[in-house]
Amino acid sequence: MPDVHLDLIRDPARKFPSVADPELVRSARVWHCKYKSLAPLSALCNLEELVIATFPDESFEFLGKLSELRFLQILHMPKICDISPLSRLQRLTTLSLSTLPSWDASRKTTTIQSLDPLSHLSQLTYLELLGVCPPDKSLVSLEKCKHLQTARVSQYPLDEMTRFFSATEVINEFNPRPLFS
């Protein structure tokens, strides 16, 4: 059976479409669609790569069920404040959480409770946090990510970014691209 890629781009439908043979889907892109919820993605039990632009839900809870996920990129998640469900993604090596580029330019951020859940991702190697910050704007929690090789962050104080990169061997670079792109 071939690996399947699901590509949903600017779909105006309000309901996530039904997916034939969800267990065959290995990669997916959901790009600026109008779905009220992306929770049906949790049925894609073998999903390894997921790219989302405009995350409509208030929780990452259903993403925590995607145990095979290795690559996750989410652009624009204005309703999210808790990233703790991501700590269950123990195969995750690449994570990108970001605001819209226009938000970054205006220094608008998505405030999350804590970066601590990321320290539980034992395989996390590549990380981008662009405009996604905890209230204290500290990167200390990331120092517990033992496999982290690269990180790219924005909207953190310059002295905190300098401190973090000096205290770790992490390189300030963008993440690799997903394999399906």
Side-chain angles (χ1 to χ4, degrees), residues 165-181:
F165 288 111
S166 295
T168 65
E169 294 183 17
V170 176
I171 299 167
N172 184 1
E173 286 185 7
F174 287 108
N175 286 356
R177 309 271 303 145
L179 295 176
F180 69 81
S181 61

Side-chain angles (χ1 to χ4, degrees), residues 50 53 94 122 145 147:
L50 177 59
T94 306
S122 61
C145 299
H147 292 284

Side-chain angles (χ1 to χ4, degrees), residues 115-178:
L115 292 178
D116 226 27
L118 301 183
S119 69
H120 301 285
L121 297 172
S122 61
Q123 302 301 311
L124 188 62
T125 308
Y126 310 104
L127 176 65
E128 291 174 347
L129 294 172
L130 306 175
V132 177
C133 310
D136 65 2
K137 296 208 175 187
S138 171
L139 297 167
V140 169
S141 295
L142 300 182
E143 293 173 31
K144 299 173 193 163
C145 299
K146 299 300 177 200
H147 292 284
L148 197 60
Q149 293 177 14
T150 68
R152 189 72 168 196
V153 298
S154 72
Q155 306 307 333
Y156 288 81
L158 182 57
D159 59 338
E160 176 59 6
M161 291 189 295
T162 302
R163 187 206 59 75
F164 170 74
F165 288 111
S166 295
T168 65
E169 294 183 17
V170 176
I171 299 167
N172 184 1
E173 286 185 7
F174 287 108
N175 286 356
R177 309 271 303 145

Side-chain angles (χ1 to χ4, degrees), residues 5-7 26-30 49-51 71 73 177-181:
H5 173 70
L6 180 64
D7 217 3
R26 295 281 192 267
S27 61
R29 174 177 26 218
V30 182
E49 294 187 337
L50 177 59
V51 173
F71 183 103
Q73 177 182 350
R177 309 271 303 145
L179 295 176
F180 69 81
S181 61

